[in-house]
Amino acid sequence: MGVLALEDLLAEDHAEALLIGRLWLPAVAGPAVILIRGDRVFDLSPRAPTVSGLLEQSDLAAWLRGLEGLEEIMPLRKLRDAVAAASAPDAAGPHLLAPCDLQSIKAAGVTFAGSLLERLVEEQAKGDYLRADEIRAAVHQSIGADLASVVPGSPEAAALKARLGELGAWSQYMEVGLGPDAEIFSKAAPMSAVGCGQDIGLHPRSEWSNPEPEVVVAVNSRGEIVGATLGNDVNLRDFEGRSALLLGRSKDNNASCAIGPFIRVFDDAFTLDDVRNARITLKVEGPEGY
């Protein structure tokens, strides 16, 4: 994997952004909660030893902006080395960690029409990726674009679910994709996510593994969304395709969840609406040449 550049990890308006994260500090042999403010990196640990505790502040943005007397860890430009070191398995110097710690890591499945279709494909293919294209084309031809405009839990959704059953495309995932209850599951244990630049883990028996880039929201114990970051919810599609009961095996493996690099805290300049309107792109490069 190529070394990431610091510029690739920061928003264009990062000078005004409130960015929090975690940095491994060899001097204390442990992680520090950090705040990027302007062109400097500060240690938040004396005020907030954990990110999970930090998110409990009633007005996090105002609290962060009002802090004074923080110890500077390094200038922002020096964080380049920490970014590069994150990709080294035995990094001796400071390196970036996932910006979450004691929080439970949850994921939401089958949240889009395309996601539901892919789960139908997985189950019909029984985990065989070679049959997937054929089945995907048949399902698309059978139902067209109906799913895109259907509101889950509505009468139209119930009718479409019945129609899919008649077509032989019944799946447990139809209930969470078209029914009133969303699929929310435990993705990974606390402290198990790898950070930006670190290698993710793939189960050695999986032959059909997908990267799943998405927005990750930072939520406190009151259910309030207080910020957002990026993540890669790695999925072993051949395992999950064989049985929905293998979801845990498909999702929760060593280093199977990557989050980071920083949590951008919501304030007047960056809100949940910015997340709603965000567009995520993914570029996959590999030895196969695609």
Side-chain angles (χ1 to χ4, degrees):
M1 181 185 71
V3 176
L4 294 167
L6 177 62
E7 292 78 7
D8 295 333
L9 308 184
L10 297 171
E12 293 179 358
D13 62 342
H14 68 85
E16 289 76 42
L18 284 172
L19 300 173
I20 58 176
R22 292 170 67 241
L23 186 67
W24 181 268
L25 297 180
V28 298
V33 180
I34 61 172
L35 167 67
I36 298 177
R37 182 190 280 171
D39 60 355
R40 294 186 289 173
V41 180
F42 295 97
D43 187 0
L44 280 177
S45 299
R47 313 289 182 92
T50 64
V51 173
S52 60
L54 177 61
L55 300 184
E56 294 299 310
Q57 290 293 331
S58 58
D59 188 342
L60 182 55
W63 187 80
L64 289 171
R65 293 196 187 280
L67 289 175
E68 296 180 357
L70 295 175
E71 179 183 351
E72 181 179 344
I73 297 178
M74 62 179 71
L76 182 60
R77 56 184 169 78
K78 288 274 190 171
L79 201 58
R80 298 173 190 271
D81 296 334
V83 171
S87 59
D90 299 313
H95 55 276
L96 285 177
L97 303 170
C100 54
D101 42 40
L102 303 183
Q103 301 96 319
S104 177
I105 301 173
K106 299 283 187 175
V110 194
T111 50
F112 300 100
S115 180
L116 173 56
L117 286 175
E118 287 302 309
R119 296 302 174 268
L120 295 177
V121 169
E122 282 175 1
E123 291 199 334
Q124 295 290 314
K126 304 298 183 187
D128 181 358
Y129 71 93
L130 295 175
R131 291 190 59 220
D133 285 341
E134 175 186 343
I135 296 171
R136 186 178 295 110
V139 171
H140 274 280
Q141 185 176 4
S142 299
I143 66 173
D146 287 354
L147 281 177
S149 59
V150 173
V151 177
S154 67
E156 292 80 10
L160 180 56
K161 190 164 56 170
R163 179 180 166 197
L164 285 167
E166 293 169 358
L167 293 170
W170 183 90
S171 163
Q172 296 176 87
Y173 289 106
M174 287 199 301
E175 182 58 39
V176 294
L178 297 174
D181 298 308
E183 181 191 13
I184 306 293
F185 59 91
S186 294
K187 163 60 189 176
M191 303 290 291
S192 69
V194 296
C196 185
Q198 295 178 293
D199 288 337
I200 57 169
L202 296 175
H203 197 289
R205 285 176 51 201
S206 176
E207 297 181 355
W208 185 10
S209 305
N210 273 19
E212 295 190 2
E214 47 210 6
V215 172
V216 179
V217 292
V219 183
N220 61 28
S221 65
R222 299 182 295 277
E224 299 163 341
I225 303 174
V226 297
T229 183
L230 296 173
N232 183 4
D233 171 19
V234 184
N235 185 46
L236 310 181
R237 293 187 60 182
D238 42 5
F239 277 69
E240 187 175 357
R242 282 161 42 207
S243 171
L245 295 179
L246 291 174
L247 181 65
R249 186 72 174 270
S250 170
K251 292 287 187 180
D252 191 3
N253 295 284
N254 289 341
S256 65
C257 182
I259 298 177
F262 312 107
I263 295 173
R264 182 164 183 175
V265 176
F266 290 159
D267 56 13
D268 292 340
F270 182 71
T271 69
L272 189 57
D273 283 335
D274 292 295
V275 175
R276 290 189 178 102
N277 295 321
R279 178 171 181 174
I280 301 176
T281 60
L282 168 70
K283 183 177 183 180
V284 177
E285 295 178 321
E288 297 86 355
Y290 60 82

